[in-house]
Amino acid sequence: MPTTEDLVSRNAVFSAADFSADFAHNAWGTVTVIGCVDSRVDPAQVLGLELGEASIIRDVGGRVTPSTLRTMAMLARVERVGIDTVVPGPRTLIVLHHTDCSMIPLAAFPDLLTELFEIPTGQLDTKSLRDPFGSVRVDVDLLRAHQHEANTLVSGLVYDVHTGRVEVAVAPMLLDRE
Ligand SMILES: [Zn+2]
């Protein structure tokens, strides 16, 4: 396992070879991915995203929670006040869930999950905790209900940790509201 010193050394290699100071200040990016914290499913790596290309929001399961929605609202505000670079649309918004997720054993701890989703225990069944294809659909629907940024294509992907491939569970659909 790499130590902090190892990682600082890797950074020296990165800064010499791959770094560019020319990236626009663009916290929001043209692409936003909501993904799981699992170290096997880093969205940047499995989707081939480059630096400066995407904002990535990660939590346990890659779930869309009230906290996720608050983070997205903050990023949108940064752009609106002119600090950030305005990116011409359409934006790409992706929910990326995966097989063999830790969310599956965590389903045995409803107290933690009601806190995460900020819902009563009786509503946990609506979150499709054991099926990534179902959970992607649930979370895309939640984004469609709450995401008010116009000109955004929202989609849902499921990554298979045994094959390295993603499957489109929800095809891109346009959110086009003001
Ligand atoms: Zn996971």
Side-chain angles (χ1 to χ4, degrees):
M1 291 301 237
T3 64
T4 300
E5 289 76 14
D6 295 332
L7 297 176
V8 170
S9 296
R10 291 187 194 182
N11 170 258
V13 174
F14 158 80
S15 63
D18 298 318
F19 172 73
S20 168
D22 297 333
F23 294 125
H25 183 170
N26 183 18
W28 190 226
T30 55
V31 178
T32 299
V33 183
I34 301 165
C36 184
V37 295
D38 192 312
S39 60
R40 300 169 296 176
V41 296
D42 183 338
Q45 292 200 27
V46 304
L47 299 177
L49 291 162
E50 303 289 342
L51 287 172
E53 207 167 34
S55 57
I56 298 177
I57 303 168
R58 298 179 74 173
D59 64 15
V60 177
R63 299 308 307 257
V64 175
T65 68
S67 171
T68 313
L69 297 172
R70 286 191 289 268
T71 297
M72 294 175 75
M74 288 174 70
L75 289 170
R77 184 67 60 87
V78 170
E79 182 177 274
R80 276 191 216 106
V81 296
I83 298 167
D84 219 338
T85 306
V86 176
V87 178
R91 299 174 187 280
T92 296
L93 174 59
I94 295 171
V95 178
L96 174 65
H97 291 176
H98 67 97
T99 61
D100 193 31
C101 185
S102 298
M103 197 47 105
I104 298 169
L106 281 172
F109 301 93
D111 52 330
L112 293 178
L113 296 175
T114 54
E115 200 171 287
L116 175 73
F117 290 113
E118 299 181 32
I119 57 174
T121 311
Q123 290 179 19
L124 279 178
D125 286 347
T126 67
K127 292 296 181 183
S128 188
L129 298 168
R130 293 177 173 84
D131 170 25
F133 286 88
S135 61
V136 153
R137 282 191 288 274
V138 167
D139 285 1
V140 167
D141 284 348
L142 201 54
L143 288 170
R144 293 177 69 198
H146 288 89
Q147 172 73 6
H148 299 292
E149 295 298 316
N151 205 13
T152 299
L153 283 163
V154 61
S155 59
L157 305 178
V158 175
Y159 175 77
D160 187 326
V161 296
H162 300 296
T163 66
R165 298 185 67 89
V166 291
E167 193 170 329
V168 179
V170 182
M173 62 181 88
L174 190 63
L175 297 177
D176 196 10
R177 299 173 302 188
E178 292 295 342

